[in-house]
Amino acid sequence: MGFIRWLARRYSGLRRSVCTSWVRRTARSCGKNLRVNAWSVVGPHTHLGNNVNFNGMEITGRGSVTIGDNFHSGSDCLMVTEIHNYDHGEAIPYDSSTITRDIVIEDNVWLGSRVIILGGVRIGEGAIIQAGSCVVKDIPKYAIAGGHPAQVFSSRDAEHYERLKAAGRFH
């Protein structure tokens, strides 16, 4: 893996091809038109829809991650599906057991750079998550959310969104 990463950084023309190939091989399932522009790591429990675009994504843990169609992420994003067992473990501050929670991201979601998504979260269709946010609870359809923890502060124009969707106008 070290050599592949070195190649990807050294040769920008080759980077996209190498990074895309790596994600395609390691994901459980992958739709059409995957585009990985920067080094990204996904687990064997990751399901990717069509037209998924990563610009540096790390998905960790044993939980399932499902990403819908037309997903776009900024750089350095992180999804964590496992946490340490700190409340009911057999040691302090935590023991060797973990708690696993799945992540579901519906269609047409856009994450800004350096977004963190914790396990047990569902992000609704068409949602936008502001750069630098930490998502710890569900985000509804069409919502625009941000902060630490992420809170909904606005919403997309649902009628306009649905018109673009019906016309097949995807980036």
Side-chain angles (χ1 to χ4, degrees):
M1 185 162 76
F3 177 72
I4 292 172
R5 193 175 221 173
W6 175 83
L7 264 178
R9 286 183 178 160
R10 180 80 172 116
Y11 299 101
S12 61
L14 192 58
R15 182 182 62 231
R16 183 177 299 125
S17 175
V18 168
C19 292
T20 300
S21 176
W22 179 259
V23 168
R24 189 177 302 284
R25 282 190 316 206
T26 55
R28 169 72 49 109
S29 63
C30 185
K32 294 181 276 183
N33 301 321
L34 173 66
R35 185 177 179 122
V36 183
N37 297 312
W39 184 252
S40 297
V41 177
V42 302
H45 306 290
T46 303
H47 304 271
L48 305 174
N50 296 314
N51 196 32
V52 168
N53 292 269
F54 290 152
N55 287 299
M57 174 66 69
E58 184 175 350
I59 299 174
T60 67
R62 292 176 294 159
S64 173
V65 174
T66 302
I67 298 175
D69 296 342
N70 308 308
F71 171 85
H72 288 260
S73 75
S75 59
D76 299 321
C77 291
L78 175 63
M79 295 185 198
V80 181
T81 63
E82 249 176 347
I83 61 170
H84 290 287
N85 185 8
Y86 57 86
D87 261 349
H88 303 290
E90 297 183 16
I92 298 173
Y94 55 85
D95 67 9
S96 60
S97 64
T98 58
I99 300 166
T100 301
R101 295 192 178 115
D102 299 339
I103 295 172
V104 176
I105 299 177
E106 296 179 5
D107 294 345
N108 310 314
V109 170
W110 173 22
L111 304 182
S113 294
R114 298 192 173 174
V115 168
I116 300 170
I117 301 173
L118 300 183
V121 167
R122 175 181 287 270
I123 299 179
E125 179 182 348
I128 299 171
I129 309 298
Q130 183 181 43
S133 299
C134 183
V135 182
V136 299
K137 64 181 184 177
D138 292 354
I139 303 294
K141 189 175 191 178
Y142 309 132
I144 301 173
H148 208 274
Q151 301 289 325
V152 174
F153 62 84
S154 189
S155 181
R156 296 179 88 147
D157 179 339
E159 290 179 20
H160 180 69
Y161 173 92
E162 290 297 335
R163 278 194 304 274
L164 290 173
K165 182 179 168 185
R169 302 288 311 262
F170 302 109
H171 176 65

PDB file of all heavy atoms in Angstrom, residues 87-99:
ATOM      1  N   ASP A  87     -19.000   2.782  28.597  1.00  0.00           N
ATOM      2  CA  ASP A  87     -20.009   2.752  29.651  1.00  0.00           C
ATOM      3  C   ASP A  87     -20.189   1.380  30.304  1.00  0.00           C
ATOM      4  O   ASP A  87     -20.448   1.293  31.493  1.00  0.00           O
ATOM      5  CB  ASP A  87     -21.373   3.201  29.104  1.00  0.00           C
ATOM      6  CG  ASP A  87     -21.659   4.647  29.437  1.00  0.00           C
ATOM      7  OD1 ASP A  87     -20.929   5.236  30.256  1.00  0.00           O
ATOM      8  OD2 ASP A  87     -22.613   5.194  28.865  1.00  0.00           O
ATOM      9  N   HIS A  88     -20.079   0.325  29.540  1.00  0.00           N
ATOM     10  CA  HIS A  88     -20.368  -1.009  30.063  1.00  0.00           C
ATOM     11  C   HIS A  88     -19.189  -1.956  29.896  1.00  0.00           C
ATOM     12  O   HIS A  88     -19.358  -3.166  29.911  1.00  0.00           O
ATOM     13  CB  HIS A  88     -21.614  -1.582  29.372  1.00  0.00           C
ATOM     14  CG  HIS A  88     -22.808  -0.689  29.541  1.00  0.00           C
ATOM     15  ND1 HIS A  88     -23.442  -0.520  30.754  1.00  0.00           N
ATOM     16  CD2 HIS A  88     -23.444   0.116  28.669  1.00  0.00           C
ATOM     17  CE1 HIS A  88     -24.438   0.342  30.606  1.00  0.00           C
ATOM     18  NE2 HIS A  88     -24.458   0.737  29.350  1.00  0.00           N
ATOM     19  N   GLY A  89     -18.012  -1.396  29.736  1.00  0.00           N
ATOM     20  CA  GLY A  89     -16.817  -2.215  29.571  1.00  0.00           C
ATOM     21  C   GLY A  89     -16.263  -2.688  30.901  1.00  0.00           C
ATOM     22  O   GLY A  89     -16.820  -2.425  31.960  1.00  0.00           O
ATOM     23  N   GLU A  90     -15.155  -3.357  30.812  1.00  0.00           N
ATOM     24  CA  GLU A  90     -14.541  -3.933  31.998  1.00  0.00           C
ATOM     25  C   GLU A  90     -13.249  -3.233  32.395  1.00  0.00           C
ATOM     26  O   GLU A  90     -12.482  -3.750  33.199  1.00  0.00           O
ATOM     27  CB  GLU A  90     -14.307  -5.421  31.757  1.00  0.00           C
ATOM     28  CG  GLU A  90     -15.618  -6.163  31.550  1.00  0.00           C
ATOM     29  CD  GLU A  90     -15.418  -7.657  31.380  1.00  0.00           C
ATOM     30  OE1 GLU A  90     -14.338  -8.164  31.719  1.00  0.00           O
ATOM     31  OE2 GLU A  90     -16.367  -8.301  30.914  1.00  0.00           O
ATOM     32  N   ALA A  91     -13.010  -2.052  31.812  1.00  0.00           N
ATOM     33  CA  ALA A  91     -11.814  -1.280  32.158  1.00  0.00           C
ATOM     34  C   ALA A  91     -12.113   0.206  31.952  1.00  0.00           C
ATOM     35  O   ALA A  91     -13.069   0.575  31.275  1.00  0.00           O
ATOM     36  CB  ALA A  91     -10.635  -1.719  31.293  1.00  0.00           C
ATOM     37  N   ILE A  92     -11.279   1.045  32.539  1.00  0.00           N
ATOM     38  CA  ILE A  92     -11.393   2.495  32.406  1.00  0.00           C
ATOM     39  C   ILE A  92     -10.158   2.982  31.658  1.00  0.00           C
ATOM     40  O   ILE A  92      -9.057   2.543  31.959  1.00  0.00           O
ATOM     41  CB  ILE A  92     -11.471   3.171  33.792  1.00  0.00           C
ATOM     42  CG1 ILE A  92     -12.721   2.690  34.533  1.00  0.00           C
ATOM     43  CG2 ILE A  92     -11.505   4.680  33.653  1.00  0.00           C
ATOM     44  CD1 ILE A  92     -12.791   3.176  35.958  1.00  0.00           C
ATOM     45  N   PRO A  93     -10.205   3.874  30.688  1.00  0.00           N
ATOM     46  CA  PRO A  93     -11.383   4.611  30.244  1.00  0.00           C
ATOM     47  C   PRO A  93     -12.302   3.815  29.317  1.00  0.00           C
ATOM     48  O   PRO A  93     -13.450   4.181  29.123  1.00  0.00           O
ATOM     49  CB  PRO A  93     -10.796   5.809  29.516  1.00  0.00           C
ATOM     50  CG  PRO A  93      -9.480   5.327  28.987  1.00  0.00           C
ATOM     51  CD  PRO A  93      -8.988   4.329  30.006  1.00  0.00           C
ATOM     52  N   TYR A  94     -11.810   2.720  28.764  1.00  0.00           N
ATOM     53  CA  TYR A  94     -12.637   1.836  27.941  1.00  0.00           C
ATOM     54  C   TYR A  94     -11.938   0.499  27.856  1.00  0.00           C
ATOM     55  O   TYR A  94     -10.763   0.373  28.163  1.00  0.00           O
ATOM     56  CB  TYR A  94     -12.864   2.417  26.532  1.00  0.00           C
ATOM     57  CG  TYR A  94     -11.592   2.753  25.795  1.00  0.00           C
ATOM     58  CD1 TYR A  94     -10.910   1.772  25.078  1.00  0.00           C
ATOM     59  CD2 TYR A  94     -11.062   4.038  25.817  1.00  0.00           C
ATOM     60  CE1 TYR A  94      -9.742   2.064  24.414  1.00  0.00           C
ATOM     61  CE2 TYR A  94      -9.889   4.337  25.149  1.00  0.00           C
ATOM     62  CZ  TYR A  94      -9.235   3.346  24.444  1.00  0.00           C
ATOM     63  OH  TYR A  94      -8.074   3.628  23.780  1.00  0.00           O
ATOM     64  N   ASP A  95     -12.687  -0.533  27.429  1.00  0.00           N
ATOM     65  CA  ASP A  95     -12.060  -1.847  27.295  1.00  0.00           C
ATOM     66  C   ASP A  95     -11.820  -2.173  25.823  1.00  0.00           C
ATOM     67  O   ASP A  95     -11.927  -1.301  24.971  1.00  0.00           O
ATOM     68  CB  ASP A  95     -12.877  -2.926  28.007  1.00  0.00           C
ATOM     69  CG  ASP A  95     -14.230  -3.193  27.376  1.00  0.00           C
ATOM     70  OD1 ASP A  95     -14.506  -2.668  26.280  1.00  0.00           O
ATOM     71  OD2 ASP A  95     -15.019  -3.934  27.978  1.00  0.00           O
ATOM     72  N   SER A  96     -11.522  -3.419  25.537  1.00  0.00           N
ATOM     73  CA  SER A  96     -11.175  -3.796  24.163  1.00  0.00           C
ATOM     74  C   SER A  96     -12.397  -4.070  23.289  1.00  0.00           C
ATOM     75  O   SER A  96     -12.257  -4.301  22.103  1.00  0.00           O
ATOM     76  CB  SER A  96     -10.267  -5.023  24.167  1.00  0.00           C
ATOM     77  OG  SER A  96     -10.921  -6.103  24.790  1.00  0.00           O
ATOM     78  N   SER A  97     -13.598  -4.043  23.855  1.00  0.00           N
ATOM     79  CA  SER A  97     -14.793  -4.258  23.035  1.00  0.00           C
ATOM     80  C   SER A  97     -15.237  -2.934  22.403  1.00  0.00           C
ATOM     81  O   SER A  97     -14.900  -1.856  22.896  1.00  0.00           O
ATOM     82  CB  SER A  97     -15.923  -4.868  23.864  1.00  0.00           C
ATOM     83  OG  SER A  97     -16.332  -3.975  24.868  1.00  0.00           O
ATOM     84  N   THR A  98     -15.973  -3.036  21.313  1.00  0.00           N
ATOM     85  CA  THR A  98     -16.442  -1.842  20.616  1.00  0.00           C
ATOM     86  C   THR A  98     -17.934  -1.934  20.341  1.00  0.00           C
ATOM     87  O   THR A  98     -18.526  -3.007  20.387  1.00  0.00           O
ATOM     88  CB  THR A  98     -15.701  -1.649  19.274  1.00  0.00           C
ATOM     89  OG1 THR A  98     -15.894  -2.811  18.471  1.00  0.00           O
ATOM     90  CG2 THR A  98     -14.221  -1.397  19.482  1.00  0.00           C
ATOM     91  N   ILE A  99     -18.512  -0.795  20.047  1.00  0.00           N
ATOM     92  CA  ILE A  99     -19.920  -0.695  19.668  1.00  0.00           C
ATOM     93  C   ILE A  99     -19.946  -0.246  18.214  1.00  0.00           C
ATOM     94  O   ILE A  99     -19.324   0.755  17.852  1.00  0.00           O
ATOM     95  CB  ILE A  99     -20.651   0.316  20.569  1.00  0.00           C
ATOM     96  CG1 ILE A  99     -20.568  -0.142  22.025  1.00  0.00           C
ATOM     97  CG2 ILE A  99     -22.090   0.504  20.114  1.00  0.00           C
ATOM     98  CD1 ILE A  99     -20.942   0.916  23.031  1.00  0.00           C
TER      99      ILE A  99
END
